Amino acid sequence: MSVAEMTLGKGELTADRLVAANINPRTGLATDYLNHFNEVVMMLEMLPAMPDCAEDVLEWQPMSYEQHFEASNFAEKHLAIDAFRAAPAAVRRALKDVVATLDTAVCEKQGRLRDAPEIAPIADAIAIEAAEEIKPLIATASAIIHGLVDPSEAGETDSQAEIDALFA
C-alpha cells in the first residue's frame, strides 16, 4: 500500500496497532520524537555544574520527525513514519512549526556557546533560558502529539500556565 493510500485507523494504521506502538491514534504522532529535544535540554540545564556538556550540546543537530525515527531504535519506527505521513495535514504542520521554533532556540544557544571564550560565565543564563524558553515549546509539541491542542492555535500558546492547563 502506498503512503498516499494510508489512512489513520485503517490497514496497518489501526488504532489498536498504533496504541500498542505508543503512537497516538488520533494524531498519528509519537512522543518518542520529543526525546530528541529533551536530551539537549537536559544537557543545557547541566551546563552550570558540568561545563563539559557543552561539547554534547554543540554536537546536537536538528532532526525532522521522520529523520529522528529513521535513525532511532524505536521498535515500530516504520509504523511511526507511516502514521506521521497519514496524520492530518494541520497536525503535521502545527508540529513542524513548533519544531522549527525549537530548532531555532537550541541553535541560538549553541551559537552562544560556540562564540563564548568561556562557558562558565554564560552557563547559568543558558540553563535558565532552556527551562523558560525551550521546555514550554516541548510541552506545546507534546500537547499537539496528544491531540490536546487545536493545530491552528498551537503557535499561539504563550505561557507555561496555558500549557499546564492542557494537562490538568
Side-chain angles (χ1 to χ4, degrees):
M1 180 180 291
S2 76
V3 172
E5 297 170 355
M6 297 189 118
T7 304
L8 291 179
K10 296 182 180 175
E12 294 290 313
L13 302 177
T14 62
D16 289 345
R17 179 133 189 254
L18 294 176
V19 168
N22 291 320
I23 300 168
N24 185 295
R26 289 182 304 138
T27 64
L29 304 176
T31 57
D32 186 82
Y33 179 53
L34 301 179
N35 292 339
H36 178 62
F37 300 100
N38 288 326
E39 290 169 6
V40 74
V41 167
M42 180 180 67
M43 291 183 287
L44 288 165
E45 290 180 323
M46 291 171 39
L47 282 174
M50 298 178 64
D52 292 347
C53 287
E55 292 176 29
D56 293 325
V57 169
L58 293 174
E59 289 176 5
W60 183 90
Q61 296 281 326
M63 293 179 91
S64 71
Y65 187 93
E66 293 167 294
Q67 288 169 331
H68 167 78
F69 282 102
E70 287 167 359
S72 80
N73 292 322
F74 189 74
E76 292 278 10
K77 65 183 180 181
H78 298 293
L79 182 64
I81 293 168
D82 289 343
F84 173 78
R85 291 174 178 165
V91 171
R92 285 194 320 269
R93 188 172 34 259
L95 183 65
K96 287 179 180 180
D97 288 348
V98 172
V99 166
T101 305
L102 274 162
D103 288 344
T104 299
V106 174
C107 289
E108 186 272 332
K109 309 298 175 267
Q110 287 176 313
R112 287 178 40 215
L113 284 173
R114 202 174 284 112
D115 294 343
E118 292 182 45
I119 302 301
I122 64 167
D124 286 337
I126 287 178
I128 290 167
E129 290 168 15
E132 293 178 352
E133 179 184 345
I134 299 172
K135 280 186 169 182
L137 291 168
I138 293 171
T140 300
S142 178
I144 293 166
I145 289 168
H146 285 97
L148 301 173
V149 172
D150 179 341
S152 66
E153 297 174 5
E156 297 174 19
T157 303
D158 292 326
S159 74
Q160 185 64 45
E162 291 173 9
I163 295 164
D164 291 342
L166 292 170
F167 295 100

